[in-house]
Amino acid sequence: MALVQLGTRDLVRTVTGIVRWSADTAELVVSLPGRIGTLLDQVEVLIARIEAISDGAEIAVSRANAVAESAATVVSTADHASASAQTLIGLYEPLATKAAPLAQRFVDDLTEEEIHAAIGLVDHLPELTLRMEGLMPILATLDTVSPEIHQLLEEVQGVRQAIQGVPGFKFFRKRGEAQEDEDYAR
């Protein structure tokens, strides 16, 4: 092996380089605990922020689950309502299709006064029903009374003709009318 001889200048440069390197290394070694402490502090802050984000994410997931459950309930209710509506539509669609022209005619022909009158009539239906219950037995007997009324009217007509044939009847009638006028005036 061959040795290279260094001159004094080279030796001073090499030693100066080693001393600088040693000083830089010593300075680096001395500053490492402070830099490591700062780095650890920043890591702790970062971990705290990550934990806060994780907690927020848990809350968001919990709320999202609650919203999803509510949405599932709404969807279930809407599904049930839709099924009920479809059933009702199936039942009443033929009736509505058949009644539509009649309803249109009904709406076109009625005036506002007639509608108010119909509403008034409906308001009186309970009282009318009660009164009709009392009147129905009487109306049922009219079939048997009708011939008797005709017979009675024929008799009254005969009596009237007989009275008008009595001499002086006109005088008595005028006198009776005058008497009625006096009674009415009082």
Side-chain angles (χ1 to χ4, degrees):
M1 188 181 267
L3 280 176
V4 178
Q5 281 190 336
L6 294 175
T8 339
R9 223 185 240 170
D10 291 328
L11 187 59
V12 169
R13 264 193 228 152
T14 302
V15 171
T16 303
I18 291 173
V19 169
R20 277 192 191 144
W21 180 81
S22 296
D24 288 342
T25 302
E27 188 179 313
L28 177 67
V29 169
V30 168
S31 71
L32 272 177
R35 290 176 70 186
I36 290 173
T38 302
L39 184 61
L40 288 176
D41 290 342
Q42 289 176 347
V43 168
E44 285 178 3
V45 168
L46 183 61
I47 288 172
R49 288 181 67 193
I50 289 171
E51 286 176 352
I53 290 171
S54 175
D55 292 343
E58 285 179 20
I59 292 170
V61 166
S62 173
R63 288 182 181 167
N65 286 338
V67 167
E69 288 174 10
S70 295
T73 302
V74 168
V75 167
S76 174
T77 303
D79 185 44
H80 180 69
S82 175
S84 295
Q86 289 298 326
T87 302
L88 290 174
I89 287 171
L91 286 173
Y92 291 108
E93 184 176 26
L95 178 65
T97 301
K98 187 175 180 180
L102 298 173
Q104 185 63 47
R105 184 171 163 217
F106 184 79
V107 169
D108 290 343
D109 289 347
L110 284 181
T111 65
E112 188 173 340
E113 293 81 22
E114 290 171 328
I115 291 172
H116 288 297
I119 291 170
L121 180 63
V122 169
D123 289 343
H124 287 89
L125 280 178
E127 179 184 347
L128 184 62
T129 302
L130 288 174
R131 294 186 186 253
M132 286 303 292
E133 285 176 359
L135 189 61
M136 289 306 285
I138 296 170
L139 291 176
T141 63
L142 285 182
D143 287 343
T144 61
V145 175
S146 177
E148 295 171 1
I149 290 176
H150 285 293
Q151 188 178 12
L152 182 63
L153 287 175
E154 288 174 5
E155 293 296 323
V156 168
Q157 181 69 24
V159 170
R160 183 174 175 262
Q161 288 173 350
I163 290 176
Q164 284 180 346
V166 172
F169 179 72
K170 221 180 204 184
F171 169 74
F172 288 121
R173 188 174 49 169
K174 286 183 181 178
R175 188 171 176 208
E177 288 175 359
Q179 186 67 32
E180 284 179 1
D181 289 342
E182 282 179 24
D183 289 344
Y184 182 71
R186 288 187 214 172

